[in-house]
Amino acid sequence: MTSYLFAPAPTPSLPIVGDARRFPVRRILCVGQNYAAHAREMGNDPARQEPFFFSKPADAVVVDGANPAYPSATENLHFEVELVAAIGEGGAVAGWAVGVDLTRRDLQAKAKEKGRPWDAAKGFDQSAPCGALTLGALPDPAAAIALTVNGETKQSSTLAEMIWNPVEIVEKAGTLWALQPGDLIFTGTPEGVGPLMRGDAVEARIEGLETLRFTVK
Ligand code: MN
């Protein structure tokens, strides 16, 4: 039996709708600028260029209705509602969830300006609130996707507006990494991203999937 210097960290996991089992999270891959209107609002050309990826650590997930803390070292925390693909056995998509890619937008802007990595902007602690997983095929590939803050709609689009559809995103990710059971892939956010303050109540919805709700602590 392996003896560790200290107890290994527990495996982060997502609840599954209608199933007592949990989905163990291995790592989190995220695609950037996968909706044309969001690429434009970030100052980029939304031409159908190859998707690019960044990552968050597995333990960045915030689950089971827990509330993420407002992170240190930023004055511009942003929300990004996203469809999340969950990879199961054999590298196939096992199910889908609603996630929010929390972003330190000020640190991301500095990183972009200097050509530096995005880790501190994207992969910080509690940066990936995620709802319960719905197993099986995506209920509706053209479903509405929306996010409200304190009841006010901030993002409202449909999955049909994606530049690369979820199947293509998973395929592209698979050319860069050997996808393994437990991998989550955040598939990009539509336009309307904006700031969050402490105490803000966020509701992130995709038709057919379980709604994600949290309040920023
Ligand atoms: Mn994102």
Side-chain angles (χ1 to χ4, degrees):
M1 200 177 124
T2 306
S3 173
Y4 293 102
L5 183 60
F6 49 84
T11 301
S13 65
L14 304 184
I16 300 173
V17 176
D19 196 318
R21 296 172 296 174
R22 310 270 304 180
F23 178 89
V25 179
R26 178 171 179 268
R27 65 182 161 186
I28 305 171
L29 303 173
C30 308
V31 67
Q33 296 177 8
N34 194 32
Y35 291 76
H38 174 60
R40 280 193 291 271
E41 77 181 349
M42 299 307 289
N44 292 91
D45 174 8
R48 204 167 189 259
Q49 55 200 342
E50 285 294 292
F52 66 93
F53 292 85
F54 56 90
S55 68
K56 296 174 186 264
D59 67 358
V61 287
V62 179
V63 296
D64 301 311
N67 295 318
Y70 194 97
S72 62
T74 185
E75 289 172 358
N76 198 15
L77 176 68
H78 270 208
F79 53 79
E80 298 189 354
V81 61
E82 309 205 2
L83 172 69
V84 179
I87 305 299
E89 289 179 297
V93 176
W96 306 89
V98 180
V100 172
D101 167 16
L102 291 175
T103 302
R104 285 170 167 143
R105 193 70 76 201
D106 42 2
L107 298 198
Q108 186 194 32
K110 274 185 209 159
K112 283 181 176 177
E113 183 188 308
K114 300 193 171 187
R116 289 179 179 164
W118 286 10
D119 302 58
K122 290 289 198 177
F124 54 91
D125 297 343
Q126 302 178 39
S127 59
C130 204
L133 189 65
T134 296
L135 296 178
L138 188 58
D140 176 2
I145 176 170
L147 181 141
T148 66
V149 178
N150 303 324
E152 189 181 329
T153 299
K154 301 290 188 182
Q155 294 187 275
S156 180
S157 186
T158 77
L159 300 181
E161 295 300 311
M162 286 184 170
I163 296 171
W164 298 90
N165 71 42
V167 172
E168 291 172 322
I169 288 295
V170 171
E171 278 174 11
K172 294 280 175 188
T175 67
L176 294 164
W177 294 274
L179 296 179
Q180 300 288 333
D183 291 345
L184 296 179
I185 303 177
F186 279 57
T187 59
T189 196
E191 71 278 17
V193 300
L196 288 172
M197 313 296 280
R198 284 184 182 84
D200 280 348
V202 175
E203 196 170 280
R205 289 180 175 274
I206 296 174
E207 274 180 300
L209 301 179
E210 189 161 287
T211 298
L212 166 64
R213 294 182 184 84
F214 62 86
T215 298
V216 180
K217 280 194 289 190

